[in-house]
Amino acid sequence: MDPLTPPHAAPLPPPIRRIAVDRSPTTVAAPAAATNGHGHGQPSGIVGGGRHAQRAGRAGVERMRLEDLSISYGRKLAVNRVSLPVRQGEVLALIGPSGCGKTTLLRSLNRLIELTPTASREGRIMLDDQDVDRMEVTHLRRRVTMVFQQPNPFPMSIFDNIAYGLREQGSSRPRREELEPQVIDALERAGLYGEVSENLDHPALRLSGGQQQRLCIARALAVRPEVLLLDEPASALDPRSTARIEDLLVKLRDEVAIVIVTHNLQQAFRIADHVAFMYLGELEEYAPTDQMFGAPRTQRSRDYVSGAFG
Amino acid sequence: MSVEAPNRALGDAGPTRPMESSATWPRADRVGLGLAWAAGMLLCVVAGAIVLYMLFRGLQYLSFELLVTRPEVANDQSRSGGFLDPIIGTLMLTVLGTIIAAPLGVAAAVWLSEYGRPSWLARLVESGIEVVAGTPSIVLAIFGLLIFSQPLFAFLSFTAEGNAVFGRSFLAAGAMISLIALPFVVGATREALNAIPSHVREASYALGKTKAATIRRVLLPAVRPGIGTGTALGMGRIAGDTAIPIALLGATLQLQAVDGPLGTLRGTGGTLTTYVYGNSPAGEGNAPEKAYAAAFVLLLVVVLLNFGVDLISRRRQVTSWTR
Ligand SMILES: Nc1ncnc2c1ncn2[C@@H]1O[C@H](COP(=O)(O)OP(=O)(O)O)[C@@H](O)[C@H]1O
Ligand SMILES: [Mg+2]
């Protein structure tokens, strides 16, 4: 019934929580053997698959686990009994029509959802076999950081934006010299250092939108998180900046588990290793990317995914 | 006036025509437009008249001499000196009021915008600030006099023989006059805080930061231009207020320090406003030339402050997020 429990092929009538099961990390092996994006039995004409040379056959290490997660706003159920694994070494894409609960689910992973007074949560979220509810929330959020839809650098210099996360709460220590290597490293990992190396003291809000978003990614990476959450990080950006961020995420997936919400199916196809399709708060299907786009199991996923390649 | 006539021109011209001429509007609309235009012009004329008249009078009577000589009590106007003391008085009172109002106002705004719980308390604080903002300064002044003449506040001002507390001093006037600036600081700071999209705060929480760290390192720097705007507006109001310096500062011609530490602050004095009032035909003195000159200086100070407000708020647009 869900990706966390062993498969039992049961073509159940409603409720429609039929989920493609992918238990073993190497499930995608079948068609994957050698080729890349094209030639997976994908509908032809798909662009961008090539960026994803070794998508199939990746063995992710499970870092987070959602077990029967339900979230309501007041009496309105926004996420309904979703179970999912989040693995390091791969990119997990959450797709689904607008309002289906993607953002809500994502915000529950680092307990940001608790800032919404009306939101209540049921079910468990585990980070490395530890219940996130039992963790100190500031500690949790340094291990599970987040990048938002709108670029939101802080009103300070590029350097200080990165250094902010590295410093203790509101403190201005450690000093700049001590932090410089870490700041530069984070900027490099986010592919931004080359563009800003001369202007680390410039206000971050003067950067272009695409640069701002990569700065936000650098800021989130600087604290060495284990899981990186991204909520439609490229929806406000131009295609070139989007492509840079996609490349970046594919590179980053080995050091950090990546969960990205996207309404862009092509994007999900290009960068994700697993795709979770949500519909009206339910997890409709969870499958390896190739399977989700090539041979979706449920009629609904088929309808939705076919929109990608029309 | 009723402006109900449908816009007939729209049908002929098509809705996408960019430059629609008002000549084709119905009469009521044209009359309305004319009145709006006239109102704008009238305000321009009034503002221009004030500035030009004060400029003319001010430059006519103002001299460097007046700015740097102390005023003296004298019937002969050639011996009554300048208005150095009132200038210093205005500066001192403005600075005092501001250093009280700015931190208080920012703190109140942060509490209201970022905490504001329980909500009935927040509403109460809001109404409190509105009441303060709406209270005429003469009422604040006599209330302040009542408070600061209590023995408890004897240390703030001069104490006469028999332990009667005078209750008038820069400290007393500064404390009360800060209430004039306070609502401006609160208002502008809150507006700036509310303009910060919530995802910016969340981005800070998502790095494991506490609310306190977020306020200190992210929100306060972001609202600095807002704080500046509110503070400058408030300073203009303080510099221009007359009732409080008259009732609570003593409105003396010269600064009169009391003995002991912080003597000047605990002593009495006057400001440009009390000087203008005292020397104009409205007051007892009869030196309209000097009143005009001082009024011109006052106007200059206030106009400069407002210019500063403009400058600050224009800079604000450089740093902004998408909602
Ligand atoms: N703060 C909130 N209060 C009440 N309802 C909300 C709130 N945020 C989201 N919702 C509702 O929860 C559902 C899921 O929203 P969301 O997670 O934002 O969806 P998505 O990100 O997939 O578009 C929607 O129906 C939305 O209206
Ligand atoms: Mg969303």
Side-chain angles (χ1 to χ4, degrees):
Chain A
M1 279 299 281
D2 68 47
L4 297 177
T5 53
H8 39 82
L12 286 176
I16 327 136
R17 271 174 60 269
R18 233 176 299 123
I19 289 154
V21 169
D22 167 45
R23 196 64 190 103
S24 67
T26 48
T27 19
V28 215
T35 46
N36 58 22
H38 304 279
H40 277 14
Q42 299 291 343
S44 56
I46 295 172
V47 284
R51 201 180 296 154
H52 214 307
Q54 356 105 327
R55 160 155 71 209
R58 298 184 61 84
V61 184
E62 184 177 292
R63 298 309 296 269
M64 288 192 97
R65 221 172 133 87
L66 285 63
E67 296 172 2
D68 268 339
L69 181 74
S70 298
I71 298 159
S72 325
Y73 294 105
R75 299 167 74 186
K76 183 186 183 308
L77 197 59
V79 171
N80 190 9
R81 306 197 60 184
V82 170
S83 300
L84 265 182
V86 174
R87 301 201 189 90
Q88 185 170 335
E90 61 172 46
V91 174
L92 168 64
L94 294 178
I95 61 170
S98 163
C100 69
K102 305 180 296 293
T103 298
T104 304
L105 186 143
L106 201 70
R107 285 162 56 88
S108 67
L109 293 182
N110 62 356
R111 288 172 58 189
L112 221 46
I113 195 79
E114 289 168 14
L115 299 174
T116 310
T118 53
S120 60
R121 206 193 81 201
E122 277 171 58
R124 285 207 304 176
I125 301 174
M126 309 295 286
L127 173 60
D128 288 342
D129 292 321
Q130 201 185 353
D131 194 327
V132 296
D133 285 336
R134 289 163 177 252
M135 296 172 63
E136 215 281 299
V137 71
T138 59
H139 188 221
L140 167 71
R141 288 178 188 154
R142 294 175 84 83
R143 295 177 64 187
V144 183
T145 59
M146 182 157 173
V147 173
F148 296 76
Q149 180 170 1
Q150 301 296 346
N152 50 15
F154 300 132
M156 42 180 103
S157 71
I158 294 172
F159 186 96
D160 285 333
N161 259 274
I162 312 281
Y164 177 67
L166 297 168
R167 290 177 170 140
E168 197 56 44
Q169 293 305 341
S171 157
S172 54
R173 292 182 180 271
R175 298 221 156 276
R176 180 171 178 137
E177 309 83 63
E178 293 168 61
L179 290 178
E180 194 144 346
Q182 282 166 274
V183 169
I184 291 174
D185 177 60
L187 287 168
E188 269 170 352
R189 287 201 291 155
L192 187 61
Y193 187 63
E195 289 154 67
V196 301
S197 58
E198 300 296 312
N199 320 328
L200 291 183
D201 291 319
H202 284 207
L205 279 157
R206 295 261 172 84
L207 294 171
S208 75
Q211 289 175 325
Q212 289 190 7
Q213 196 61 305
R214 276 180 287 142
L215 180 70
C216 292
I217 294 177
R219 186 171 74 185
L221 289 174
V223 298
R224 294 269 159 198
E226 292 149 61
V227 181
L228 179 64
L229 312 172
L230 303 105
D231 192 357
E232 304 191 16
S235 66
L237 305 182
D238 61 279
R240 264 194 69 203
S241 306
T242 303
R244 296 202 60 159
I245 288 181
E246 288 179 10
D247 285 340
L248 183 62
L249 295 179
V250 171
K251 274 191 211 121
L252 285 171
R253 69 185 163 181
D254 288 315
E255 28 183 322
V256 51
I258 293 178
V259 185
I260 179 172
V261 168
T262 176
H263 58 215
N264 181 340
L265 295 172
Q266 307 256 355
Q267 181 171 64
F269 176 73
R270 285 192 295 261
I271 65 174
D273 299 277
H274 274 85
V275 177
F277 169 49
M278 293 182 68
Y279 190 83
L280 292 178
E282 314 222 351
L283 182 59
E284 176 80 12
E285 179 163 347
Y286 170 78
T289 306
D290 294 327
Q291 190 177 316
M292 177 65 87
F293 288 101
R297 301 217 177 153
T298 75
Q299 184 59 41
R300 255 201 208 111
S301 347
R302 201 156 22 240
D303 290 347
Y304 187 72
V305 163
S306 69
F309 310 110
Chain B
M1 167 188 27
S2 87
V3 193
E4 65 200 11
N7 194 342
R8 276 174 282 117
L10 211 64
D12 317 331
T16 54
R17 195 172 139 187
M19 293 272 280
E20 182 195 29
S21 161
S22 58
T24 61
W25 289 10
R27 163 148 342 118
D29 289 359
R30 273 181 292 158
V31 170
L33 178 67
L35 285 176
W37 184 86
M41 286 304 115
L42 184 69
L43 277 177
C44 275
V45 169
V46 171
I50 295 175
V51 170
L52 284 180
Y53 186 72
M54 292 316 295
L55 190 74
F56 171 69
R57 287 296 194 174
L59 290 182
Q60 188 179 2
Y61 300 124
L62 188 63
S63 66
F64 182 70
E65 197 70 21
L66 285 178
L67 296 177
V68 294
T69 44
R70 302 192 64 178
E72 302 289 345
V73 183
N75 278 331
D76 178 2
Q77 285 311 317
S78 64
R79 303 240 307 272
S80 66
F83 38 86
L84 175 64
D85 286 36
I87 289 178
I88 296 174
T90 291
L91 289 180
M92 271 172 54
L93 198 59
T94 308
V95 168
L96 258 175
T98 306
I99 53 183
I100 298 173
L104 265 180
V106 170
V110 165
W111 184 78
L112 278 171
S113 288
E114 303 301 317
Y115 295 89
R117 305 254 159 235
S119 49
W120 60 263
L121 189 60
R123 275 200 300 278
L124 200 69
V125 171
E126 269 175 346
S127 327
I129 292 167
E130 261 161 43
V131 167
V132 168
T135 307
S137 67
I138 184 66
V139 178
L140 293 178
I142 56 168
F143 177 73
L145 196 56
L146 195 75
I147 299 289
F148 293 118
S149 346
Q150 300 300 314
L152 179 64
F153 293 107
F155 65 95
L156 285 179
S157 64
F158 167 70
T159 307
E161 271 168 63
N163 288 337
V165 178
F166 193 47
R168 299 172 183 84
S169 72
F170 272 102
L171 290 174
M176 277 332 271
I177 216 163
S178 73
L179 292 178
I180 292 182
L182 191 79
F184 291 92
V185 180
V186 176
T189 308
R190 283 194 76 187
E191 195 185 311
L193 280 171
N194 295 345
I196 301 177
S198 57
H199 62 81
V200 173
R201 297 173 178 81
E202 290 176 1
S204 174
Y205 302 147
L207 293 168
K209 295 290 182 167
T210 58
K211 194 163 187 163
T214 305
I215 290 172
R216 180 148 163 237
R217 292 286 168 204
V218 177
L219 301 186
L220 285 183
V223 299
R224 216 177 279 147
I227 297 174
T229 306
T231 307
L233 279 172
M235 286 170 89
R237 292 309 174 99
I238 292 181
D241 187 71
T242 318
I244 290 179
I246 285 183
L248 264 181
L249 191 56
T252 52
L253 207 48
Q254 296 193 346
L255 306 181
Q256 277 158 1
V258 301
D259 297 331
L262 299 179
T264 315
L265 290 179
R266 289 160 59 224
T268 56
T271 60
L272 283 169
T273 53
T274 63
Y275 183 86
V276 170
Y277 175 70
N279 283 295
S280 73
E284 68 245 30
N286 211 356
E289 297 87 3
K290 286 178 184 172
Y292 279 127
F296 175 70
V297 172
L298 182 61
L299 191 67
L300 214 62
V301 169
V302 175
V303 165
L304 279 178
L305 279 171
N306 281 326
F307 188 67
V309 172
D310 264 12
L311 217 69
I312 298 168
S313 32
R314 209 162 294 155
R315 251 192 32 207
R316 171 156 45 173
Q317 274 133 29
V318 178
T319 59
S320 59
W321 297 276
T322 329
R323 288 199 158 261

